[in-house]
């Protein structure tokens, strides 16, 4: 009896091993780390498509989803020590500059990207490049838009399509307050700088200069934060739990229907669909208000760069797969259809068969079609600068500066002067 | 076979063989990392580019205002945890040690429960309790008193108080157990003769219990100082990350983590770590000398 049991066990083990051997005989195993489970799903779909097109170069993708901080920290240790890194890795844009310090431990992707670069927004590729070498594949454009809760605005006599400037926005807010004293025109972020960065871009400025200097104590920044602070003082804008819309507290507040407008990148659509169920069918998308008409109405924010590590087992195969998954037309379609992001291949934005598909869940959730808005502002989408000092600037702005401005309502000029000094002391 | 291991029977060699595991662990996991950290604190470390920068990291540390915030926070936190976590658990331990106390087992278990609770869970619960929405526990309590809700974790005083409260909740049980074991070592005859002499409860506590558990108090003090200065997890969990508004909860270790991991400056972070080591050593050595522990050993 005992012997039979052992025999069965041995046979099972041999069989399993043999079966494993059969699968891996003509397919290469690639490991991938990401911090977004939707990305992992997307990569699996693209691997299936790759395998169908390349019968002689099969890939077995092993994607692991790790917590955000954890994944970036592990990657940093792995790259620093030269062992333990995956073949392919997703890196969030605000962490990306850290990985460009020193000698980048990633494969240069210029050759494999070459067939696709003409279709892709160039600035999105530049963000993940250093000295002319492309190390990362972008995911989306991340064009900033305004999400309006149409119902309550109409009740207050506001047509969201008429809001063109910040003055219009303030006016609309006052009308809303007259009808709904407990509701707010918008959210002012204290743990992220989406709106502030958008307001800087409208004036042709940014958080960091071309020569890697922090741009905090500037007239453009003063104008942006003063405008926002005045709206906070008037009760038109509110701060939110967790400090920004893309956190639990922020999404909860939006879901309660107390906010008339959320200014966020286009990818925030996916958060509406997944995590803000109460707003289904009530939200319309429009360009962000500007200081003066004629200023650029959008900028690309957020993002994930996918890179191939130098320690990858088969860097050539991994690179080609990556270019296919994220830069090919097929990949870009999936980025919209599966992930709900504005693809970097902007030629697709006018492909109505894709953009106006009535079966698309995103199209069903929102009142108007996002691509109508994106095509309207297409030539106005500015790109955010990213430099080695960006992590230090972001850290101070989103922990100290914005809290002092919008929670403590301190004098903007003094806060900015202080911030500039403190950030400079952090940079070396 | 016997011959090969003959040295194990040698009275001079055998002790070294037995302490070898400790020596090895000490060398590999303590001494090497410390020496390597000292070396790293004089370097700028990036993948494929390690360069010596001399004392630059330390010079920058002197002018770094956020580092000063971190030190102030850590020292303040240590002060408050000492002020609360040294005396109160002692009083609780004395109460639980008293035979007239009802339900001792129950109180002992419930006070110890937080220690075995995961700090991740505890942090999440405290974060929700001190949430800024109207429905959070603390704001509901304020509402009962007719007060308006406040943003507990965004204001310096309340945020810091929440952090200290969480530490007290977590560590009261451990300190109490240390004290209890100290109190158990006091012969009951002492209290009996004090009773005969007509001593009251306060006199028995102050003149018998406290002096006799002094070694335990010194031990608890030493580990609490180190624990306070090296605190990181509580703050990280309370604010769901290393970035608390206006750096209310930024500690020295939090700053080390921010510089080393979040901004990829291992050299600078090493310098931060060594400053922490120096501060903790200085305070603990001073305290041990003041309480006479080191003096005695040196005599």
């Amino acid at each position: 009896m005992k012997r039979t049991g052992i025999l069965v066990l041995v046979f099972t083990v041999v069989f399993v091993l043999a079966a494993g051997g059969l699968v891996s005989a003509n397919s290469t195993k690639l490991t991938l780390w990401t911090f977004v489970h939707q990305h992992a799903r997307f990569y699996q779909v693209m691997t299936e498509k790759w395998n169908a097109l390349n019968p002689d170069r099969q890939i077995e993708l092993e994607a692991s989803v790790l917590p955000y901080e954890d994944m970036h920290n592990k990657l940093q240790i792995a790259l620093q020590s030269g062992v333990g890194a995956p073949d392919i890795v997703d890196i969030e844009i605000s962490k990306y500059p850290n990985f460009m310090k020193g000698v980048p431990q990633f494969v240069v992707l210029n050759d494999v990207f070459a067939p696709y670069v003409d279709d892709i927004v160039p600035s999105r590729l530049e963000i993940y490049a250093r000295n002319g070498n492309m190390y990362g594949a972008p995911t989306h454009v991340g064009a900033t838009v305004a999400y309006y809760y149409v119902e309550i605005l109409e009740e207050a006599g506001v047509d969201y399509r008429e809001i063109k400037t910040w003055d219009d926005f303030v006016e609309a807010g006052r009308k809303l307050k007259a009808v709904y004293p407990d509701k707010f025109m918008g959210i002012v972020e204290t743990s992220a700088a989406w709106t502030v960065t958008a307001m800087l871009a409208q004036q042709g400025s940014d958080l960091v200069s071309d020569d890697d200097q922090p741009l905090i104590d500037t007239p453009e920044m003063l104008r942006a934060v003063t405008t926002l602070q005045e709206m906070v003082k008037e009760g038109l804008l509110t701060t939110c739990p967790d400090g920004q819309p893309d956190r639990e507290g922020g999404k909860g507040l939006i879901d309660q229907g107390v906010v008339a407008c959320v200014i966020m990148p286009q990818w925030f659509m996916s958060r509406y669909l997944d995590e803000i169920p109460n707003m289904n069918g009530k939200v319309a998308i429009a360009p962000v208000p500007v200081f003066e008409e004629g200023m650029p109405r959008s900028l690309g924010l957020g993002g994930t760069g996918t890179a191939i590590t130098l320690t990858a087992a088969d860097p050539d195969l991994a690179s080609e797969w990556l270019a296919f998954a994220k830069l090919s037309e097929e990949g870009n379609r999936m980025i919209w259809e599966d992930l709900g992001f504005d693809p970097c291949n902007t030629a697709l934005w006018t492909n109505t068969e894709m953009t106006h598909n009535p079966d698309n869940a995103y199209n069903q959730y929102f009142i108007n079609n996002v691509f109508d808005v994106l095509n309207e502002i297409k030539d106005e989408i500015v790109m955010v600068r990213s430099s080695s000092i960006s992590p230090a600037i972001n850290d101070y702005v989103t922990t100290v500066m914005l809290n002092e401005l919008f929670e403590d309502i301190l004098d903007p000029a003094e806060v900015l002067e202080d911030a500039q000094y403190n950030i400079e002391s952090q940079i070396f | 076979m016997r011959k090969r291991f003959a040295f194990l029977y040698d009275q001079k060699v055998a002790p070294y063989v037995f302490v070898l595991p400790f020596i090895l662990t000490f060398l590999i996991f303590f001494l090497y990392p410390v020496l390597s950290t000292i070396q790293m604190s004089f370097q700028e470390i990036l993948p494929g580019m390690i360069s010596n920068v001399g004392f630059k990291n330390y010079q920058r540390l002197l002018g770094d205002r956020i580092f000063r915030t971190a030190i102030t926070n850590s020292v303040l936190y240590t002060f408050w945890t000492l002020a609360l976590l040294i005396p109160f658990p002692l009083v609780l331990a004395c109460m639980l040690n008293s035979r007239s106390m009802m339900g001792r087992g129950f109180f002992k278990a419930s006070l110890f429960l937080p220690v075995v609770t995961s700090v991740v869970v505890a942090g999440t619960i405290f974060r929700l309790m001190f949430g800024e929405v109207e429905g959070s526990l603390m704001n509901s309590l304020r509402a009962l008193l007719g007060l308006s809700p406040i943003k507990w974790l965004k204001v310096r005083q309340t945020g810091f108080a929440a952090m200290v409260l969480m530490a007290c909740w977590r560590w009261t049980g451990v300190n109490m157990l240390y004290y209890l074991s100290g109190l158990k070592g006091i012969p009951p005859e002492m209290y009996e003769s004090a009773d005969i002499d007509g001593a009251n409860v306060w006199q028995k506590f102050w003149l018998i219990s406290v002096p006799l558990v002094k070694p335990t108090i010194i031990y608890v003090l030493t580990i609490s100082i180190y624990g306070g200065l090296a605190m990181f997890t509580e703050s990280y969990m309370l604010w769901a990350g290393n970035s608390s508004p206006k750096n209310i909860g930024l500690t020295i270790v939090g700053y080390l983590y921010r510089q080393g991991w979040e901004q990829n400056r291992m050299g600078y972070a090493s310098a931060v770590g060594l400053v922490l080591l120096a501060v903790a050593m200085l305070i603990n050595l001073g305290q041990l000398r003041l309480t006479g522990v080191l003096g005695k050993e040196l005599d």
Side-chain angles (χ1 to χ4, degrees):
Chain A
M1 189 61 208
K2 206 172 174 186
R3 190 175 285 177
T4 338
I6 292 172
L7 267 176
V8 169
L9 186 74
V10 168
F11 272 114
T12 320
V13 169
V14 168
F15 181 75
V16 168
L17 288 179
L22 283 178
V23 171
S24 55
N26 56 0
S27 82
T28 312
K29 195 165 159 186
L30 295 177
T31 54
L32 180 146
W33 286 359
T34 179
F35 51 95
V36 187
H37 66 93
Q38 288 95 336
H39 290 189
R41 187 185 67 207
F42 164 78
Y43 291 132
Q44 291 294 2
V45 174
M46 290 315 291
T47 307
E48 278 165 34
K49 288 181 189 255
W50 167 276
N51 285 341
L53 291 170
N54 299 279
D56 52 331
R57 299 179 77 197
Q58 297 283 298
I59 289 174
E60 192 190 330
L61 187 74
E62 194 184 284
S64 315
V65 183
L66 289 94
Y68 174 78
E69 283 288 345
D70 217 26
M71 194 216 82
H72 291 96
N73 292 347
K74 279 204 174 89
L75 181 66
Q76 208 155 289
I77 305 169
L79 294 179
Q80 186 87 54
S81 59
V83 282
D87 298 320
I88 308 158
V89 67
D90 264 0
I91 301 161
E92 202 265 333
I93 192 167
S94 68
K95 295 278 183 188
Y96 198 83
N98 281 339
F99 295 95
M100 288 290 112
K101 289 180 182 171
V103 181
Q105 302 294 299
F106 300 134
V107 173
V108 177
L109 300 165
N110 292 7
D111 292 342
V112 286
F113 281 7
Y116 306 105
V117 284
D118 291 339
D119 302 328
I120 302 293
V121 180
S123 50
R124 279 274 119 176
L125 288 167
E126 278 160 28
I127 271 185
Y128 304 115
R130 283 294 177 278
N131 306 326
N133 287 329
M134 289 184 273
Y135 294 103
T139 312
H140 55 61
V141 174
T144 308
V145 292
Y147 297 87
Y148 287 106
Y149 180 10
V150 178
E151 226 169 271
I152 58 169
L153 285 171
E154 276 174 359
E155 277 158 6
V158 175
D159 181 356
Y160 75 91
R161 281 160 291 208
E162 299 297 313
I163 301 174
K164 303 280 182 208
T165 65
W166 289 111
D167 291 333
D168 298 339
F169 188 84
V170 170
E171 214 40 60
R174 287 180 185 145
K175 283 184 191 165
L176 178 82
K177 276 286 180 189
V179 181
Y180 290 112
D182 292 342
K183 295 193 193 288
F184 300 94
M185 191 58 198
I187 291 175
V188 66
E189 303 117 23
T190 50
S191 69
W194 312 113
T195 315
V196 170
T197 321
M199 286 174 134
L200 289 177
Q202 294 173 359
Q203 305 171 75
S205 186
D206 202 330
L207 291 166
V208 57
S209 70
D210 279 332
D211 57 342
D212 289 351
Q213 293 302 312
L215 291 176
I216 303 298
D217 195 8
T218 61
E220 292 85 5
M221 177 66 102
L222 188 65
R223 188 176 183 191
V225 298
T226 312
T227 309
L228 289 169
Q229 201 192 48
E230 288 304 318
M231 285 193 259
V232 175
K233 283 184 191 165
E234 223 184 305
L236 304 179
L237 296 183
T238 178
T239 55
C240 71
D242 300 334
Q244 63 134 321
D246 196 26
R247 290 273 183 284
E248 295 319 309
K251 283 178 275 202
L253 197 72
I254 300 167
D255 197 46
Q256 286 164 25
V258 292
V259 187
C261 174
V262 180
I263 292 167
M264 281 298 280
Q266 180 279 340
W267 48 258
F268 197 66
M269 277 176 88
S270 63
R271 313 304 201 261
Y272 268 103
L273 188 71
D274 289 345
E275 293 161 86
I276 312 178
N278 283 330
M279 288 287 112
N280 196 346
K282 299 175 184 168
V283 182
I285 298 165
V288 179
V290 286
F291 287 98
E292 285 142 38
E293 282 193 65
M295 283 179 168
R297 289 178 288 173
S298 188
L299 92 155
L301 283 178
T304 304
T306 314
I308 310 294
T309 59
L310 285 180
T311 51
D314 190 343
D316 293 337
L317 179 66
S319 308
E320 277 177 51
W321 171 85
L322 176 66
F324 167 76
K326 291 188 86 178
L327 300 184
S328 71
E329 192 177 316
E330 219 168 344
N332 273 266
R333 269 188 87 109
M334 279 306 288
I335 285 175
W336 159 247
E337 285 167 1
D338 189 63
L339 296 171
F341 300 157
D342 45 358
C344 295
N345 181 344
T346 48
L348 282 174
W349 292 13
T350 48
N351 179 343
T352 44
E353 175 251 327
M354 177 194 99
T355 57
H356 285 66
N357 179 1
D359 296 330
N360 183 294
Y362 300 98
N363 288 346
Q364 288 168 355
Y365 187 105
F366 292 89
I367 292 175
N368 58 345
N369 189 284
V370 65
F371 285 100
D372 292 342
V373 181
L374 289 176
N375 284 320
E376 185 189 334
I377 55 176
K378 196 172 179 176
D379 300 326
E380 299 173 43
I381 305 172
V382 186
M383 281 300 148
V384 69
R385 279 185 214 126
S386 169
S387 97
S388 62
I389 65 165
S390 295
I393 298 178
N394 284 332
D395 178 70
Y396 189 87
V397 169
T398 58
T399 55
V400 183
M401 192 182 103
L402 296 176
N403 273 293
E404 287 178 345
L405 285 167
F406 305 132
E407 288 286 359
D408 301 348
I409 314 288
L410 300 182
D411 177 55
E414 281 173 27
V415 169
L416 295 187
E417 193 186 332
D418 224 34
Q420 179 82 27
Y421 177 86
N422 280 329
I423 290 170
E424 277 170 9
S425 85
Q426 291 275 302
I427 288 163
F428 41 80
Chain B
M1 195 62 187
R2 180 99 195 228
K3 224 172 191 178
R4 198 188 286 173
F5 293 106
F7 64 93
L8 280 177
Y9 296 89
D10 185 329
Q11 287 203 352
K12 273 185 191 152
V13 179
Y16 292 102
V17 175
F18 286 117
V19 294
L20 193 65
F22 166 75
I23 302 269
L24 282 180
T25 328
F26 174 79
L27 289 178
I28 298 170
F29 294 109
F30 188 83
L31 197 66
Y32 165 70
V34 168
L35 293 179
S36 160
T37 308
I38 294 175
Q39 187 195 13
M40 281 163 75
S41 75
F42 295 104
Q43 292 175 329
E44 190 184 336
I45 298 153
L46 290 168
M49 280 170 83
I50 295 175
S51 50
N52 285 313
V53 293
F55 283 93
K56 250 185 189 157
N57 286 330
Y58 290 96
Q59 278 168 5
R60 284 161 185 157
L61 219 44
L62 286 176
D64 188 336
R65 279 212 252 173
I66 298 169
F67 180 57
R68 260 176 263 168
T69 311
I71 291 193
T72 317
N73 284 345
S74 281
V75 170
L76 259 183
Y77 173 83
T78 311
F79 171 80
W80 281 111
T81 47
L82 291 182
L84 295 167
L85 279 172
I86 300 295
F88 288 107
L90 181 58
V91 173
L92 286 172
C94 284
M95 284 164 73
L96 287 178
N97 198 39
S98 155
R99 248 166 276 156
S100 48
M101 179 80 190
M102 302 261 286
R104 279 193 283 176
F106 170 75
F107 285 116
K108 219 187 277 178
S110 48
L111 281 167
F112 193 72
L113 202 62
V115 181
V116 289
T117 310
S118 128
V119 65
V120 179
V121 175
T124 312
I125 291 174
F126 269 76
R127 187 164 71 242
L128 295 173
M129 267 168 60
F130 286 93
E132 61 188 76
V133 292
E134 272 175 46
S136 75
L137 183 73
M138 297 308 281
N139 276 337
S140 315
L141 289 180
R142 277 180 68 91
L144 283 181
L145 300 169
L147 300 166
S148 55
I150 56 170
K151 297 174 180 174
W152 295 92
L153 297 179
K154 283 184 182 169
V155 179
R156 195 178 159 74
Q157 288 81 359
T158 50
F160 209 81
M163 198 159 70
V164 173
L165 187 76
M166 187 169 145
C168 290
W169 176 82
R170 268 195 91 206
W171 297 114
T172 299
V174 181
N175 289 1
M176 191 189 70
L177 272 201
Y178 286 135
Y179 288 136
L180 263 179
S181 62
L183 287 170
K184 290 270 186 252
I186 303 175
E189 295 83 21
M190 293 261 200
Y191 293 104
E192 279 166 26
S193 52
D195 282 333
I196 294 167
D197 290 341
N200 60 24
V201 176
W202 173 251
Q203 283 170 323
K204 280 193 280 182
F205 171 72
W206 197 244
L207 298 171
I208 299 176
S209 304
V210 173
L212 287 176
V213 288
K214 196 181 153 199
T216 317
I217 300 180
I218 292 170
Y219 173 69
V220 172
L221 186 67
T222 313
I223 57 163
S224 300
I225 290 175
Y226 166 72
L229 289 173
M231 191 274 279
F232 167 68
T233 332
E234 277 86 350
S235 157
Y236 190 89
M237 290 305 158
L238 193 57
W239 278 280
N242 197 26
S243 301
S244 48
K246 289 169 280 173
N247 293 325
I248 302 169
L250 182 70
T251 64
I252 303 179
V253 179
Y255 195 62
L256 184 157
Y257 182 86
R258 181 181 290 177
Q259 289 295 340
W261 299 126
E262 296 176 354
Q263 303 196 7
N264 200 6
R265 288 174 177 159
M266 282 296 166
Y268 193 63
S270 299
V272 173
L274 287 174
V275 170
L276 170 66
L277 182 71
V279 172
M281 286 262 270
L282 266 179
I283 296 182
N284 266 338
L285 286 178
Q287 167 257 332
L288 289 175
R289 188 164 274 275
L290 273 181
T291 48
V293 174
L294 275 190
K296 255 181 238 160
E297 273 180 16
L298 291 177
D299 282 342

